[in-house]
Amino acid sequence: MLLRLNASDPRPLHEQVAGAIRRAIAEGECGPGDRLPPARELSQALGVNANTVLRGLRTLRDEGVLEFRRGRGVTVADGADRRSDLVEQVRALVEAAARQGYSKTDIIEMIKGDV
């Protein structure tokens, strides 16, 4: 799996790590059931601290994109390829709404109102 971070990206590094893994999943570089390299290897390849990588991995675990299993490492969750696309679209929506002055609560109210 080839991951790259963009030095000019203003997002925090852990978000960039999570985004790079989402992108790799969406582009088919790894799929459901595939095992990711250990965080230490990822951190060395990306040139960031291992804790930064772990924070990005935990974000993806919380989103249901990755699974952490003792003794088996970190694997891509079933359905992650579809879920990662949706999560990325939701993030883009939240960012676009924030630029226009809307909060997450405003977006939720719009969705509840069947916009």
Side-chain angles (χ1 to χ4, degrees):
M1 174 173 25
L2 178 63
L3 302 177
R4 293 187 199 146
L5 301 183
N6 182 350
S8 64
D9 190 332
R11 295 180 301 157
L13 287 173
H14 71 277
E15 288 181 14
Q16 291 183 49
V17 169
I21 295 170
R22 273 191 214 97
R23 191 175 318 107
I25 293 169
E27 292 176 358
E29 289 184 46
C30 55
D34 288 349
R35 193 169 156 187
L36 269 59
R40 187 175 307 271
E41 285 181 28
L42 288 173
S43 70
Q44 290 173 347
L46 295 170
V48 298
N49 187 289
N51 288 323
T52 301
V53 171
L54 287 169
R55 187 169 176 193
L57 293 174
R58 282 191 298 268
T59 297
L60 295 174
R61 178 199 58 200
D62 294 346
E63 292 173 0
V65 174
L66 298 178
E67 295 177 341
F68 289 26
R69 298 216 174 140
R70 180 165 291 180
R72 291 180 41 189
V74 179
T75 58
V76 178
D78 288 334
D81 45 354
R82 292 181 304 273
R83 183 169 173 80
S84 64
D85 285 342
L86 180 60
V87 169
E88 196 62 38
Q89 290 172 8
V90 169
R91 285 185 190 280
L93 171 65
V94 170
E95 289 173 12
R99 283 192 302 272
Q100 295 183 21
Y102 292 99
S103 69
K104 290 178 185 177
T105 304
D106 294 332
I107 297 169
I108 292 168
E109 290 304 315
M110 287 179 198
I111 293 170
K112 285 181 179 178
D114 294 315
V115 173

